[in-house]
Amino acid sequence: IKGTENRFFVAFIDRAKLSERAFPFKVGDEVVTMDGQPLSEVVAKLQAEIIENVPETDKALAEVNLTNRRAARGISVPQGPVVLGLKAKGSDRVREVQLLWDYTPERVAPRSTFDTRTALGGFNQRSIFRPIMDVELANETPTPVENPFAMGSRKTFTPDLGVKVWETPKENAFHAYIYKAPDRRLVGYVRIPGYIVPDYKKAVTDFAAIVKQFEETTDAMVIDQVNNPGGSVFYLYSLVSMLADQPMKTPRHRMSVSQNEVTEAVELINKLKDVKNDEDAAKALEGQDFDGYPATYQVARFTLAYAEFIVDEWNAGRKLTRPYWIAGVDQINPAPVHYTKPILVLVNHLDFSGGDFFPGILQDNKRVTVMGTRTAGAGGYVQSIKIPNGVGVASFRTTGSLAERVSGNPLENLGVTPDVPYEFTAEDYQNNFAPYVKAVNAAVTKIAP
């Protein structure tokens, strides 16, 4: 269920679980009540359970939680029957239907309520040298039919933007195609679901092939990055490197440091201090790349400087460093395969962390036009922490860094403001996003005259 203008509409139905006989409503029908309460009040109560951040993103998260609530997210979980009141498209009559929550109880119940005084144990976090910028919001339970509104879905709710003349196969890491725009020009479309993938090498190779195809045959590119939960910094950098023929400046971060990070930095300095070439770098880094970003001599030197910076900051008595670039990479050099024509990036309120940084980096370098709604404003990398306990907390996350854009402004709580604002309307939800498609193509025409 998605909302706009204080109204809410059916956006997706999993017919494998909810047949038309059981639920004789369609996508685009309006949801008015839940258990007799106006849906706007239900959403407001759910929003109140979320720690306040960016109001627009908080409301979008409450809409996600409306039909998909998990205790693992700290949300109260209902069970039993639920009655929805709906109005079919074009009708003012409210009809009610009773459904049942698809409830799965916890197998291991907590022994007591959470109390920070019981929090004993240690850290289990991603390395500061391979940071992750993401939010864990993706659907945990796969369904036979992929939900195009789910976080990180391969295909999103954006309809085909025109008549397709080429498309990637299903085994490709990306849903991408070339279409004929209303003005008859060829435009490339590629969906970036997130920045954590099962196989970084394959994803980078697939993306490079798409970019090469687009560069040779299209006049502009549309990157669909809505509902993006973020992910690996270096994988994100790898994709950015293929979208320009000039270096892209990166944000600097104020990073939280403890003895864990300093110990790791000292060990890395010992590994990298004698690196003289690419071969040495591969040996020192044990032949690994950085989530698709090549571990070259240059990267090794930048990482060495980064490790030395972390040690120096600790020795200077700082727990939060001065602004510095992740792994010392102050700019992303263009890859051998890259795109040189205009790019439109589609964003929304549910773009988190890496989903903030990708459009932010490209916008700061004046490489793209950003369209949609302001991103979530999760402006740094995160640390995942596991603490042995009996109170039902499997893990939690803390902010590891606070980034500042090239302008000096933070991303935290501000996100990326689109160059071309677009809020979805009731007509979008009731007419398969026809106004949105028209607006996207109008924006493409404007940036690629």
Side-chain angles (χ1 to χ4, degrees):
I1 296 174
K2 301 295 292 183
T4 181
E5 303 163 2
N6 215 30
R7 297 170 67 191
F8 300 87
F9 301 90
V10 176
F12 171 74
I13 305 169
D14 183 356
R15 288 298 186 190
K17 290 188 174 182
L18 203 58
S19 68
E20 290 189 24
R21 183 176 180 180
F23 189 72
F25 296 93
K26 300 177 181 178
V27 168
D29 290 346
E30 185 173 357
V31 188
V32 182
T33 61
M34 177 178 281
D35 283 335
Q37 284 188 294
L39 205 62
S40 57
E41 294 181 9
V42 178
V43 171
K45 288 179 180 179
L46 282 170
Q47 186 172 342
E49 293 191 40
I50 302 169
I51 297 173
E52 292 184 14
N53 190 41
V54 177
E56 297 88 350
T57 294
D58 293 346
K59 185 176 181 182
L61 285 174
E63 291 172 9
V64 171
N65 293 332
L66 190 61
T67 57
N68 186 5
R69 308 185 200 181
R70 299 181 184 275
R73 298 176 187 160
I75 302 296
S76 55
V77 179
Q79 56 181 300
V82 58
V83 177
L84 299 181
L86 300 100
K87 291 195 296 188
K89 180 181 174 182
S91 173
D92 290 328
R93 180 190 171 202
V94 177
R95 298 162 57 196
E96 291 190 340
V97 59
Q98 187 186 59
L99 302 175
L100 192 69
W101 285 103
D102 187 3
Y103 177 77
T104 303
E106 291 185 275
R107 290 188 176 183
V108 182
R111 289 182 171 179
S112 60
T113 57
F114 179 72
D115 184 341
T116 54
R117 289 173 297 180
T118 68
L120 301 173
F123 294 91
N124 180 10
Q125 64 187 51
R126 177 83 169 191
S127 164
I128 192 174
F129 295 97
R130 288 171 180 258
I132 283 290
M133 300 189 295
D134 79 329
V135 61
E136 293 181 334
L137 289 175
N139 284 358
E140 291 90 340
T141 306
T143 58
V145 180
E146 185 176 32
N147 181 356
F149 291 90
M151 295 296 297
S153 60
R154 183 177 182 274
K155 285 187 178 182
T156 186
F157 54 82
T158 305
D160 292 345
L161 297 174
V163 177
K164 291 186 283 191
V165 299
W166 174 85
E167 188 171 11
T168 52
K170 290 183 179 180
E171 58 269 20
N172 196 289
F174 299 89
H175 172 53
Y177 59 85
I178 296 172
Y179 72 96
K180 282 188 179 180
D183 59 8
R184 310 300 295 173
R185 285 182 297 180
L186 294 179
V187 179
Y189 167 96
V190 60
R191 160 70 173 156
I192 300 181
Y195 299 102
I196 292 181
V197 295
D199 187 335
Y200 289 103
K201 185 175 181 179
K202 180 183 186 306
V204 169
T205 300
D206 286 352
F207 195 77
I210 291 167
V211 168
K212 185 175 186 294
Q213 179 86 346
F214 285 3
E215 177 69 13
E216 292 173 353
T217 59
T218 66
D219 299 300
M221 180 196 299
V222 176
I223 297 177
D224 192 343
Q225 204 228 222
V226 300
N227 293 358
N228 188 303
S232 165
V233 173
F234 290 108
Y235 174 59
L236 187 157
Y237 284 2
S238 294
L239 301 191
V240 169
S241 72
M242 291 182 258
L243 297 175
D245 59 359
Q246 298 294 324
M248 297 284 103
K249 294 179 181 178
T250 62
R252 297 190 300 174
H253 293 246
R254 292 183 181 272
M255 292 159 281
S256 172
V257 290
S258 68
Q259 287 172 307
N260 288 338
E261 289 79 31
V262 178
T263 299
E264 188 177 1
V266 170
E267 292 172 353
L268 201 56
I269 289 169
N270 290 333
K271 282 186 177 182
L272 297 177
K273 63 183 180 180
D274 296 323
V275 168
K276 305 296 183 186
N277 50 46
D278 285 354
E279 185 179 353
D280 289 346
K283 288 180 181 178
L285 298 168
E286 299 175 356
Q288 299 177 355
D289 61 15
F290 289 81
D291 298 344
Y293 199 78
T296 62
Y297 168 74
Q298 285 292 110
V299 170
R301 298 301 297 175
F302 281 128
T303 303
L304 175 61
Y306 179 46
E308 291 171 339
F309 169 79
I310 295 298
V311 174
D312 289 344
E313 291 296 284
W314 178 261
N315 290 338
R318 298 186 182 95
K319 295 182 179 179
L320 191 66
T321 70
R322 293 170 296 161
Y324 199 77
W325 302 275
I326 288 177
V329 179
D330 61 340
Q331 61 181 28
I332 304 167
N333 288 325
V337 174
H338 50 258
Y339 195 72
T340 61
K341 300 166 189 179
I343 299 174
L344 182 72
V345 179
L346 306 179
V347 299
N348 68 353
H349 295 313
L350 293 176
D351 286 330
F352 290 87
S353 213
D356 290 290
F357 279 85
F358 180 83
I361 291 170
L362 292 167
Q363 186 185 61
D364 284 349
N365 286 277
K366 304 186 187 309
R367 177 63 189 98
V368 303
T369 298
V370 179
M371 177 177 174
T373 55
R374 184 175 63 161
T375 61
Y381 60 75
V382 293
Q383 296 171 331
S384 183
I385 299 171
K386 292 185 178 182
I387 296 176
N389 66 89
V391 296
V393 177
S395 65
F396 61 92
R397 287 180 156 199
T398 63
T399 298
S401 73
L402 293 172
E404 60 179 38
R405 301 178 69 172
V406 172
S407 64
N409 290 327
L411 264 171
E412 187 74 14
N413 293 337
L414 295 180
V416 175
T417 300
D419 305 299
V420 182
Y422 189 91
E423 292 275 1
F424 290 127
T425 64
E427 187 179 355
D428 277 308
Y429 291 116
Q430 294 190 313
N431 292 290
N432 194 32
F433 298 94
Y436 183 50
V437 170
K438 184 177 180 181
V440 169
N441 279 315
V444 171
T445 298
K446 188 172 182 179
I447 65 173

